[in-house]
Every structure is written in structure tokens, then in C-alpha cells.
Amino acid sequence: MRVKVSRKAHFNAAHRLHNSAWNAEKNREVFGKCNNENGHGHNYEVIAHVTGQIDPESGYVMDMKDLKSFMVEEIEDRYDHKNLNLDVPEFASLNPTAENMVVIIWQRLRRRIDPKHELIVTLYETERNYVEYNGDE
Amino acid sequence: MRVKVSRKAHFNAAHRLHNSAWNAEKNREVFGKCNNENGHGHNYEVIAHVTGQIDPESGYVMDMKDLKSFMVEEIEDRYDHKNLNLDVPEFASLNPTAENMVVIIWQRLRRRIDPKHELIVTLYETERNYVEYNGDE
Amino acid sequence: MRVKVSRKAHFNAAHRLHNSAWNAEKNREVFGKCNNENGHGHNYEVIAHVTGQIDPESGYVMDMKDLKSFMVEEIEDRYDHKNLNLDVPEFASLNPTAENMVVIIWQRLRRRIDPKHELIVTLYETERNYVEYNGDE
Amino acid sequence: MRVKVSRKAHFNAAHRLHNSAWNAEKNREVFGKCNNENGHGHNYEVIAHVTGQIDPESGYVMDMKDLKSFMVEEIEDRYDHKNLNLDVPEFASLNPTAENMVVIIWQRLRRRIDPKHELIVTLYETERNYVEYNGDE
Amino acid sequence: MRVKVSRKAHFNAAHRLHNSAWNAEKNREVFGKCNNENGHGHNYEVIAHVTGQIDPESGYVMDMKDLKSFMVEEIEDRYDHKNLNLDVPEFASLNPTAENMVVIIWQRLRRRIDPKHELIVTLYETERNYVEYNGDE
Amino acid sequence: MRVKVSRKAHFNAAHRLHNSAWNAEKNREVFGKCNNENGHGHNYEVIAHVTGQIDPESGYVMDMKDLKSFMVEEIEDRYDHKNLNLDVPEFASLNPTAENMVVIIWQRLRRRIDPKHELIVTLYETERNYVEYNGDE
């Protein structure tokens, strides 16, 4: 039986939406108040969804303690209580929109999850705005 | 990278489930207390999910400020603080079940969203009852 | 030990804010879109908070099954899937604002709860708007 | 129009993760504190998602009162306020992991839902851990 | 300025409501399905509310990292993934109703919190049932 | 009848906990990762609770549209999508802990609310950490 198991984590971070190839006016026009020079922030919630066969011995698709550890190491330890633009290498030159963030998070978790399992990642920026990535190009 | 972006809106409306082609007994049998002659109401929550490629310049699939505006114009301005049966033309003769509502909302938003993007709409009637439509016929 | 025990119920109802002693213009000015002639509606949530001594034998302040029954009889059976203005006697001439509703609900529950217990009632009209009454005049 | 309708139920149960074919050390290693001999418990939430054509007369995919009844009979009456390992036959020899539980729940509901409808079941063990099954083998 | 600071924790536990001084019939009559012999369980949420003056240097009423540690040591380490009746000494002979539990938790935390601060504890057994204790006798 | 009416607003902001009178080591010791030099952020939720007599004509304690406007002007317009330390004058030299923030917000709203009404303000920094102020010194 193929079951999807999901685990939620969270981190609190500052960010600023900005494209350094654009001038200030264009940045303000596209990103509005999200372009505020000194940044703003969110309580992000991230859900990793892993789909695979139930192991008949353990009754697990995968050990959720492992999934939790991967999410701590790849997400919480790197992003929690950080300024994404200034403190996190992967967003030094990549605009930390929710869309770009969910792809990066998916790529980081993908390396840790058994290749036989499918992976989807959902990222909530607020309760009203969220994004999801399943590896599609 | 194809990402799904989701945005939530809400509206408070009255409605009554009723099929005028049926007699009172049949209506009561099928719709139960939802058939109450003077109506009842809900705090509806609606989520639009739009899937498409991330624009490399903005880092956006689409501008969420635009999606928010479309949802205000097509959903909130039309349904919020209204009686769906009596005040909203599309439900004058169409029974405002959650199922019919989500299809109508999907059709209205579909015209506003870039055709290259996929659209799914989720409508919560209560926290315990909700429906979803992706355009399938 | 005096403990406060709380129990949540919910009902879905239509209502219209209107003062029949005022003209249409004044009603529209004060109540805005809540004055919509054909009504609108909400998923109401109501919480009864009862404070009293823990009974040493049962370990209960009061039997929550009783509190649940009182809330079904006094609130859910009367208001759920109703139009408050048209179907409920207590709001035939009393404007069903959340404030007036919470007082009425408190009065109805007060008669059912042991006089030695304190009672507070909270009523959520939406997740963003709610009211509370403790019997103060 | 093919719409997915979803309905939530809940039950409160005790369980213990344990594989009787393993020794105590192996059980503790794999299941950690979930292997606690006297069990622990959860407020489970379960959502049944049913996808099908909207009936043009009722405006329903299926009568949600029926779906609610099926969920009471197949889930709540069987699992609520029970010890899953000791009180529920299907988990007498099957380890009640969330993964195994969601498959069993899906199988029980599947027999009650019209075969022309698709069924997905989501089971929340906690707000942070949940699983989903759609019948895939 | 006296401010109330609140911190939430959670634990998953099994329990059974039972008074060993009563016979089986009386226990079943009072506690209903909560008396199930093999127990049931909950995802408990507990909130500690501490009221005191803001320290002008730190801007804190108390260090929330300390409050978090106290809650881990006094609540989570003792109750999480346990059977309250069988694994926890304080409930060996005290019926683990939510009312009795919140008093015990308050007493345990009270010894850890600075006496100049007021303490209130809220315990959610489910989203629909919760209790609160402030030390009143 | 004296009723408490409550209204929720939200804002997304960056902040850094820091006392410029302390050295780096002391700041890191007291504020931990909240002292991160480039800041972090939150989705703040703020609830204003206003208690007063129900006006017999309107059925309102106060017009919630007014309360909403006050909260937009005094809170959302000033703090949303801002860096509290760098963009907001009141936190230029006052450490933006949740405790200090809730006092400032209370003081700003207090000037806008009718003096005959009581005011309490609750501020959620995260779902797990929140503070409340009622004007007590």
C-alpha cells in the first residue's frame, strides 16, 4: 500500500523581496511593501510529504523521527531566527520569494529522502499565502 | 520549476438549499435543515491554487496581489454579506450547494488567470465540510 | 480547588442587523453591509465557561455531558440552520448583534447551570470578531 | 463537473506501537517512546474525500449526511474512546501506526461509498503528523 | 507595567477516568465511554500564563526559555507518550480528569516560577474541552 | 449589560532583541538566537478587547468598523512589512520584545477608544508565545 506521510516544522525568519538587477522604482512596483529596505518577517510553516510503500514489519513508510531530523538539519537549523537574504548563502543572490524558497527546501530534503520515495513540500508564508513544489520542471 | 501558489479569501453569506422542481417534502427529505425556508449561513473560506513556472526575474509564479484582487472582485465583492439565493444572479436558479458554488467560483476565476496556469479552487463551508474543483468535466 | 471548565459548540445561522425604529439610510450608515435586506450568515462558535469547586469523588466541576446537553438544547437546537431574525422568537424584535446574542445565550444557559457555579459565555461570529459576557450589568 | 467533497470526523484513542515478532530492545529502538508498554493516545482527526460528478438535481456529489453516517459507523463508533491495540479487532495483530490505520479506514469506508466515486482518506495523528491513502497498491 | 506572558506546550497521553471506590456500574454511569477499561487518549495542549512586571533591562517578564524548560521538565518529560493512570505516580490514585490534571500541573509549575509572579494554567483535552486553574481554593 | 468585544488584526514584521547598553556576549546570553544581528521575523496577530455597556439602539458596545480602523491606523499601517527596530520610531531605542510591543500598542489604541470603555490587548508573536496587557502598572 502506497501511503503519503506528512510532517510539519516551522521557523521564524526575516526576508526582503528584491531583484538587484532592477532599479528601486521597478522593485517597489513589483514587490510593493515586501521590498521594504530593512526587511519584514514571517512565522513560516513547512510540511514535507513523503509517499512510499508501508514497510510490513514496522508499519512505517519511513521513520518520522528521521524525517524530523532531516527537517531540523536542512530547514530549521539553517533558517530559524535568521535574515534569509543576509544570513543564508542560498538566498545571497536568489530572491527569497516563497516560490524560490520551496524549491530550495525541496532540493535540500530530496538528497536526504530515500530515492524510492516521492517528495512534495508545502511552505506557508502566512496562513493566507502558501506554495507547494513536487519536483516538476 | 512548476510551483503551486495558494491564496485564501473569505466571505460571510446566507443561503438555502432548495430545488424548486421538487415539492416541500422531497426538499426537506434531501436537504434536511439546510432547506430551512428563511435560510441559514456560513463563514465561507475559499482558496485559489494556481500552478505554473516560476518567473526567473520576479521569483513569482504570478503576482499574488493580482490574485488577491481577482478574488476580491470575483468572490468577495459579489458574495460577502449577501443572501446567495436572493442577491446573487448566478444562484437565482442554481442551488447554492458547496459543489455548485465551487464550480461557479472556479469558472469566474478561470477567466482572470493566465491560461498557461492551472487553477484549482477549494471552498470551505465549515471547518468540517469542504469541496474542491480543478476544472474536470 | 476552583477550576474553570470550558466547552465549545457551534451553529450555522443567517442574520441581519437592523433597527426598525430607524430609517433605511440610518440603518445602512450604522450597520453597513450587515444591514443587507436579505441577510448574510456565519458559522458561530460558542464557548461556555463554568467555574466551581472540583467534586472530590468524580474529579469533575460538573459533568461535561450535562453541559453539552444544555448547549444543544438552549443553543444548537434553537439557532442552528436558522434565520435568527425570522425563525427565533428572542430576536423577533431584538437586533441579533453578537453582543445581544451572547447576553441571551448567557441568560438561557444561566438557568440550567447550578447557581453555585459562575458562568461566562464567549461567542465567535467569525475568527476575527468575538464577544464575551459574564453576567455583569 | 467532477468535484471532490471532504468531511472531517474525530476520535480520541489510546494506542501502542509494537511488533510482537521483535524483542523489547528492537521495539524500543524503532518505535521509541511510542512503544511505551502502557500506551499513549491521540485526538485523531480523519477526513474522507469523495470525488464524483455533481448530481444535477440535488447539486450534491453525494449526500454528506450519508458520508457522515458512514464515518460514524465505520470509524467513530469503532475507535472513539478505545484502546486500539486491546479493544479493536483489526489492530489485535496489526500494528496501529498511522499508516496502517489509514489503510484500514480507507478499506472500511470504500465498501460504503458508491464504486463510481473515488475515495481518499487523510488521518491526522497530531497537528504535526498526518498520513493519506488513496487506494494505491 | 504588568504583562501576562503565555507559552504553549503539548503532550500525547492515554488515560482512563475511574473511581476505584465506586463499582463498575457507577463508574460507567458517571464517566461513560471515558471509563473504557483499556483507556483512550488525547493530544493535550497546556498553556502557562505568567503575570509580572516587565524588567526594564531585558524587556522580559521572565525568560521564556526558562518557562519552556520548566514546562518540558514538569509536564512533557513526565506525561508525554505515557499512560497517566499506570505510568505517572501523581495519578496512581488520583483520577486523571482534566480538572485534576490542571491543578497538579499548576502545583508543579508554581514551585518553579518566581513567587512574585502570578500563574494560571490552561489545559486543552480536546479543541472542544478545556480547563483553567489560577490557584484559587 | 457589560460585554467584551474582541477584534483581531495581523502584521508581518522583522525584529531583533538587543540591549545596546549590554555587550555582545550578554546580549547573546539573554536573547539567544533572537539577538541575531540581521534580525528574524514573525506573523504577529493582535487582538483588541473592548469592554463596555451595550448601546440599546445599535446593539453594539462600539462600532467594530471604528475599532478595525483604529487598529489599521495605529498598528497595521505602522508595523506591517516593517523592520521594527529600524523603521518604527517607538522601537528605535526600546527593545521590541513582545512585552514592550503590547504595552506600546495598548497605549496607542487607548487614546482612540472611548475612556468609558476598558481595553485589553493580546499580541501573538507565534502560535506558542503570546502576551497580554490591560493597563496595569
Side-chain angles (χ1 to χ4, degrees):
Chain A
M1 313 295 183
R2 282 179 65 74
V3 167
K4 178 164 70 169
V5 298
S6 301
R7 167 110 201 141
K8 189 190 284 192
H10 52 260
F11 59 94
N12 308 322
H15 76 157
R16 180 200 188 192
L17 301 190
H18 187 74
N19 179 341
S20 57
W22 293 344
N23 63 18
E25 192 185 347
K26 172 76 171 176
N27 270 293
R28 173 58 66 174
E29 181 195 321
V30 173
F31 297 121
K33 56 189 182 178
C34 297
N35 183 240
N36 180 52
E37 189 175 353
N38 295 311
H40 63 287
H42 297 292
N43 301 328
Y44 290 93
E45 292 202 326
V46 55
I47 307 176
H49 314 269
V50 175
T51 303
Q53 290 292 331
I54 303 180
D55 176 271
E57 281 197 280
S58 66
Y60 282 168
V61 167
M62 70 175 283
D63 191 328
M64 294 299 262
K65 293 186 289 298
D66 289 341
L67 182 54
K68 184 180 179 180
S69 295
F70 299 156
M71 296 177 84
V72 168
E73 292 167 24
E74 301 295 337
I75 306 171
E76 293 182 349
D77 284 351
R78 297 181 61 78
Y79 302 154
D80 189 35
H81 282 73
K82 296 287 172 62
N83 182 307
L84 299 175
N85 306 62
L86 301 180
D87 296 324
V88 180
E90 52 264 43
F91 300 113
S93 59
L94 180 67
N95 197 4
T97 60
E99 289 91 329
N100 283 335
M101 289 174 67
V102 78
V103 170
I104 294 287
I105 291 171
W106 185 91
Q107 290 169 339
R108 295 192 71 87
L109 284 179
R110 183 64 277 184
R111 301 177 310 188
R112 305 297 296 273
I113 308 284
D114 191 320
K116 74 186 175 195
H117 291 149
E118 284 178 47
L119 174 66
I120 298 173
V121 175
T122 309
L123 177 71
Y124 283 78
E125 198 172 79
T126 73
E127 186 218 350
R128 294 162 296 284
N129 278 309
Y130 58 97
V131 296
E132 190 167 283
Y133 185 58
N134 65 3
D136 272 10
E137 301 200 1
Chain B
M1 312 293 186
R2 282 180 64 77
V3 167
K4 178 164 71 167
V5 298
S6 300
R7 168 114 200 138
K8 189 190 284 192
H10 52 259
F11 58 96
N12 309 322
H15 76 158
R16 179 200 188 191
L17 300 190
H18 187 74
N19 179 341
S20 58
W22 293 344
N23 63 18
E25 191 185 347
K26 171 79 171 173
N27 270 294
R28 173 59 66 174
E29 180 195 322
V30 173
F31 297 122
K33 55 188 180 176
C34 298
N35 184 241
N36 180 52
E37 188 175 355
N38 295 311
H40 64 286
H42 296 292
N43 302 328
Y44 290 94
E45 292 202 326
V46 56
I47 305 176
H49 313 269
V50 175
T51 303
Q53 290 292 330
I54 302 180
D55 176 90
E57 280 197 279
S58 65
Y60 281 168
V61 167
M62 70 174 285
D63 190 331
M64 294 298 264
K65 293 186 290 298
D66 289 342
L67 181 54
K68 183 180 179 180
S69 295
F70 299 156
M71 296 178 84
V72 168
E73 292 167 24
E74 300 295 339
I75 306 171
E76 293 182 348
D77 284 351
R78 296 181 62 79
Y79 302 154
D80 189 35
H81 283 74
K82 297 287 172 60
N83 182 308
L84 298 175
N85 306 62
L86 302 179
D87 297 324
V88 180
E90 52 264 44
F91 300 112
S93 60
L94 179 67
N95 197 2
T97 59
E99 288 91 329
N100 284 335
M101 289 174 68
V102 77
V103 170
I104 294 286
I105 290 171
W106 185 91
Q107 290 170 338
R108 296 192 70 86
L109 284 179
R110 182 66 276 183
R111 302 176 311 187
R112 305 297 297 274
I113 308 285
D114 191 319
K116 73 185 176 196
H117 291 149
E118 284 178 46
L119 175 66
I120 298 173
V121 175
T122 309
L123 177 70
Y124 283 79
E125 198 172 78
T126 72
E127 186 219 350
R128 293 161 297 285
N129 279 309
Y130 58 97
V131 296
E132 190 167 283
Y133 185 58
N134 65 4
D136 273 9
E137 301 199 2
Chain C
M1 313 296 184
R2 283 179 65 75
V3 168
K4 179 164 70 167
V5 297
S6 300
R7 168 110 199 139
K8 189 190 284 192
H10 52 258
F11 59 95
N12 309 323
H15 77 156
R16 180 201 187 191
L17 301 190
H18 187 73
N19 180 341
S20 58
W22 292 344
N23 63 19
E25 192 185 347
K26 171 78 171 175
N27 270 293
R28 174 57 69 174
E29 180 195 322
V30 172
F31 297 122
K33 55 190 183 176
C34 298
N35 183 241
N36 180 52
E37 189 175 353
N38 295 311
H40 64 285
H42 296 292
N43 302 328
Y44 289 94
E45 292 203 326
V46 56
I47 307 176
H49 314 270
V50 175
T51 304
Q53 290 293 329
I54 302 181
D55 176 89
E57 280 198 281
S58 66
Y60 281 168
V61 167
M62 70 175 283
D63 190 330
M64 294 299 264
K65 292 185 291 297
D66 290 342
L67 182 54
K68 183 180 179 180
S69 295
F70 299 156
M71 295 179 83
V72 168
E73 291 167 26
E74 300 295 338
I75 306 171
E76 292 181 349
D77 283 352
R78 296 181 61 78
Y79 302 154
D80 189 35
H81 282 74
K82 297 287 172 60
N83 182 308
L84 298 175
N85 306 63
L86 301 179
D87 296 324
V88 180
E90 51 264 44
F91 300 112
S93 61
L94 179 67
N95 197 3
T97 59
E99 289 92 331
N100 283 335
M101 288 174 68
V102 78
V103 170
I104 294 287
I105 290 171
W106 184 91
Q107 291 170 338
R108 297 191 70 88
L109 284 179
R110 181 66 276 184
R111 303 177 310 190
R112 306 296 296 275
I113 308 284
D114 192 319
K116 72 183 177 197
H117 290 150
E118 285 178 48
L119 175 65
I120 298 173
V121 175
T122 309
L123 177 69
Y124 284 78
E125 197 172 81
T126 72
E127 185 219 350
R128 292 161 298 284
N129 279 308
Y130 58 97
V131 297
E132 191 166 284
Y133 185 58
N134 65 4
D136 273 8
E137 301 201 359
Chain D
M1 313 294 183
R2 282 179 65 76
V3 167
K4 179 164 70 170
V5 299
S6 300
R7 168 111 199 139
K8 190 190 285 192
H10 51 259
F11 59 94
N12 309 323
H15 77 157
R16 179 200 189 191
L17 301 190
H18 187 74
N19 180 339
S20 57
W22 293 343
N23 64 17
E25 191 185 347
K26 171 81 169 172
N27 270 293
R28 174 57 66 173
E29 179 194 323
V30 172
F31 297 122
K33 53 189 183 176
C34 297
N35 182 241
N36 180 52
E37 188 174 354
N38 295 311
H40 64 285
H42 296 292
N43 301 328
Y44 290 93
E45 291 202 327
V46 56
I47 307 176
H49 314 269
V50 175
T51 303
Q53 290 292 330
I54 303 179
D55 176 90
E57 280 198 280
S58 65
Y60 281 169
V61 167
M62 69 174 284
D63 190 330
M64 292 299 264
K65 294 186 290 297
D66 290 343
L67 182 54
K68 183 180 179 179
S69 296
F70 299 156
M71 294 177 85
V72 168
E73 292 167 25
E74 300 295 338
I75 306 171
E76 293 182 347
D77 284 352
R78 296 180 62 78
Y79 302 154
D80 189 35
H81 282 74
K82 296 286 173 59
N83 182 308
L84 299 175
N85 306 62
L86 302 179
D87 297 325
V88 180
E90 52 263 43
F91 300 113
S93 59
L94 179 66
N95 197 2
T97 59
E99 289 91 331
N100 283 335
M101 290 174 67
V102 77
V103 170
I104 293 287
I105 291 172
W106 185 91
Q107 289 170 340
R108 296 192 70 87
L109 284 179
R110 182 65 276 184
R111 302 177 310 189
R112 306 296 297 273
I113 307 285
D114 191 319
K116 74 185 176 196
H117 290 150
E118 285 178 46
L119 174 66
I120 298 174
V121 175
T122 310
L123 177 70
Y124 283 78
E125 197 172 79
T126 72
E127 185 218 352
R128 292 162 297 285
N129 279 310
Y130 58 97
V131 296
E132 191 168 283
Y133 185 58
N134 65 4
D136 271 9
E137 301 198 2
Chain E
M1 314 294 185
R2 283 180 64 75
V3 167
K4 179 164 69 168
V5 298
S6 301
R7 167 110 201 141
K8 189 189 286 191
H10 52 259
F11 59 96
N12 308 322
H15 77 157
R16 180 200 188 191
L17 300 190
H18 187 73
N19 180 341
S20 57
W22 293 343
N23 63 17
E25 191 185 349
K26 172 76 170 175
N27 270 293
R28 174 57 68 174
E29 179 195 324
V30 173
F31 297 122
K33 56 188 181 177
C34 298
N35 183 242
N36 180 52
E37 189 176 353
N38 295 311
H40 64 286
H42 297 292
N43 302 329
Y44 290 93
E45 291 202 326
V46 57
I47 307 177
H49 314 269
V50 175
T51 303
Q53 291 292 330
I54 303 180
D55 176 271
E57 281 197 279
S58 66
Y60 282 168
V61 167
M62 70 174 283
D63 190 330
M64 294 298 263
K65 291 184 292 298
D66 289 341
L67 181 54
K68 183 179 178 179
S69 295
F70 300 156
M71 296 177 83
V72 168
E73 291 167 25
E74 300 295 338
I75 306 170
E76 294 181 348
D77 283 351
R78 294 182 63 77
Y79 301 153
D80 189 35
H81 283 74
K82 297 286 173 59
N83 182 308
L84 299 175
N85 307 61
L86 302 179
D87 296 324
V88 180
E90 53 263 44
F91 300 112
S93 61
L94 179 67
N95 197 2
T97 61
E99 289 91 331
N100 284 335
M101 289 173 68
V102 77
V103 170
I104 294 286
I105 290 171
W106 184 91
Q107 290 169 339
R108 295 191 70 87
L109 284 179
R110 181 66 277 184
R111 304 176 308 188
R112 305 297 296 274
I113 308 283
D114 191 322
K116 73 186 177 196
H117 290 149
E118 285 178 46
L119 174 66
I120 298 173
V121 175
T122 310
L123 177 70
Y124 283 78
E125 198 171 79
T126 71
E127 187 219 350
R128 292 160 298 285
N129 279 310
Y130 57 98
V131 296
E132 190 167 284
Y133 185 57
N134 65 5
D136 273 10
E137 301 201 359
Chain F
M1 313 295 185
R2 282 179 65 75
V3 168
K4 179 163 71 168
V5 297
S6 301
R7 166 112 201 140
K8 189 190 284 192
H10 52 259
F11 59 96
N12 308 323
H15 78 155
R16 180 201 187 190
L17 301 191
H18 188 73
N19 181 341
S20 57
W22 292 344
N23 63 19
E25 192 185 347
K26 172 79 172 173
N27 269 293
R28 173 58 66 174
E29 179 196 322
V30 174
F31 296 122
K33 55 188 182 177
C34 298
N35 183 241
N36 180 51
E37 189 175 352
N38 295 310
H40 64 286
H42 296 293
N43 303 329
Y44 289 93
E45 292 203 326
V46 56
I47 307 178
H49 313 268
V50 175
T51 303
Q53 291 292 331
I54 302 181
D55 176 90
E57 281 198 280
S58 66
Y60 281 168
V61 167
M62 70 174 284
D63 190 329
M64 293 298 263
K65 293 185 290 296
D66 290 342
L67 181 54
K68 183 180 180 181
S69 294
F70 299 157
M71 295 178 84
V72 168
E73 292 167 26
E74 301 295 339
I75 306 171
E76 294 181 348
D77 284 352
R78 295 181 63 78
Y79 302 153
D80 188 36
H81 283 74
K82 296 287 172 61
N83 182 308
L84 298 175
N85 306 63
L86 301 180
D87 296 325
V88 180
E90 52 264 43
F91 300 113
S93 59
L94 180 66
N95 195 4
T97 59
E99 290 90 330
N100 283 335
M101 289 174 67
V102 78
V103 170
I104 293 287
I105 290 171
W106 185 90
Q107 290 170 337
R108 295 192 71 87
L109 283 179
R110 184 63 278 184
R111 302 177 310 186
R112 306 298 296 275
I113 308 284
D114 191 321
K116 74 184 176 198
H117 290 148
E118 284 178 47
L119 175 66
I120 297 174
V121 175
T122 309
L123 177 69
Y124 284 77
E125 199 172 79
T126 71
E127 186 218 351
R128 292 162 297 284
N129 279 307
Y130 58 98
V131 296
E132 191 167 282
Y133 185 59
N134 65 4
D136 273 9
E137 302 200 359

